[in-house]
Amino acid sequence: MWFTLVILGTLFNTMRLVTGVDGCPSEVCVCKWKGGKQTVECGGRLLSRIPEGMDPGTQVLNFSGNGLTILQSERFKKMDLINLQKIYMARNQLIKIHDRAFRGLTNLVELDLSENMLPVVPTETFADYPALMRLTLSGNPIRTLRTNAFKHLSFLTTLELSNCQIEMVEDEAFIGMDNLEWLRLDGNRITTIQGNHVLPGSLHGINLQAN
């Protein structure tokens, strides 16, 4: 009987880890109201995947400092997390983001993908969250900013691309960014800026130090 109870207890704890209890995967995350928003913090756990069991009303997800390498198609939609407004995924090991990874996240206004291993700007994902206002891609091994790299992000006001490995900015790389106010390109290796229509007229400030 005791042995059976031990096994059942182990199974229960495993289920809690995978699916969460009361809308929170509490074994690996902390769920709380923070800044008036329903927040789930799973940072610094070296997790290789986003845990299941989060409340559908979650507005902020902090998944920084983990070991995620690939963000699969419709990952958040399949978890019923379409109410997310802010996602922090800095300091993971992301090498690939599927084009439809953020599908359904029409309320997303802030995304931090800094200090990962992304070799290119995830341009094709932007169509699924056009209301984004702040995007951080600093610290990724991005070498070139291609034409139309940030298409669909017409509401973006802040773009951070510090300490990447950017060498070239193609003509109209920032085309369509009609509300961009702050741009950080410091700490790169920029030697070539092509064309006459590189920077948006809406810019209030740009940092190009240490290039």
Side-chain angles (χ1 to χ4, degrees), residues 67-114:
L68 190 67
T69 57
I70 297 176
L71 199 53
Q72 302 288 353
S73 177
E74 299 188 9
R75 187 68 188 98
F76 301 99
K77 185 177 181 180
K78 290 176 181 177
M79 296 174 67
D80 200 20
L81 294 175
I82 60 173
N83 289 306
L84 282 170
Q85 298 176 14
K86 300 181 180 182
I87 299 176
Y88 303 104
M89 305 190 80
R91 300 184 306 283
N92 273 268
Q93 299 175 31
L94 282 169
I95 58 174
K96 179 178 175 58
I97 298 177
H98 192 279
D99 290 350
R100 299 279 80 87
F102 299 98
R103 190 171 186 177
L105 301 189
T106 56
N107 295 321
L108 194 65
V109 295
E110 184 171 352
L111 177 61
D112 186 351
L113 296 170
S114 61

Side-chain angles (χ1 to χ4, degrees), residues 38-65:
Q38 192 168 341
T39 302
V40 177
E41 297 185 344
C42 311
R45 301 283 186 148
L46 300 180
L47 302 174
S48 60
R49 64 185 181 87
I50 302 172
E52 301 282 348
M54 296 183 203
D55 190 292
T58 300
Q59 297 166 294
V60 180
L61 172 61
N62 183 354
F63 197 73
S64 297

Side-chain angles (χ1 to χ4, degrees), residues 119-121 141-147 149-150 164-170 173 192 194:
V120 296
V121 175
I142 299 169
R143 293 186 179 276
T144 302
L145 296 184
R146 304 289 184 189
T147 299
F150 302 96
C164 295
Q165 300 174 23
I166 300 170
E167 299 173 352
M168 177 184 293
V169 179
E170 293 186 355
T192 304
Q194 298 179 339

